[in-house]
Amino acid sequence: MPRMIYDYTKSVLERVSFDPVLFCKELRKAIKNLLPYELEQLKKWLQNFTTEKPELQQYISIVN
């Protein structure tokens, strides 16, 4: 089940990436729901995902 939540979180973040404020809001929700090892995976994914979206890179620090 936790893997499904992680995959769902990535899906949501991809869909809302057009709006930095909404992206930040969804990222904060994800931090509350994911397990510590999933947060590490999410951080790595965010680093790759935001390379093409510099306006979102500032939110990677939220995951720490």
Side-chain angles (χ1 to χ4, degrees):
M1 182 69 114
R3 186 69 190 175
M4 291 175 60
I5 294 171
Y6 173 73
D7 290 338
Y8 176 74
T9 298
K10 286 189 341 183
S11 172
V12 169
L13 290 172
E14 286 174 348
R15 282 186 267 145
V16 300
S17 64
F18 67 91
D19 181 358
V21 174
L22 191 53
F23 185 85
C24 181
K25 181 179 175 184
E26 291 298 330
L27 186 56
R28 288 183 193 280
K29 282 189 206 175
I31 291 168
K32 292 177 185 176
N33 293 322
L34 295 176
L35 299 172
Y37 76 93
E38 292 173 319
L39 286 175
E40 285 301 314
Q41 291 178 337
L42 184 66
K43 185 174 179 180
K44 290 176 186 175
W45 177 82
L46 282 169
Q47 289 170 342
N48 288 329
F49 181 71
T50 59
T51 55
E52 297 175 8
K53 299 178 184 302
E55 69 276 7
L56 300 177
Q57 289 178 347
Q58 62 186 339
Y59 301 115
I60 293 174
S61 63
I62 294 174
V63 180
N64 291 331

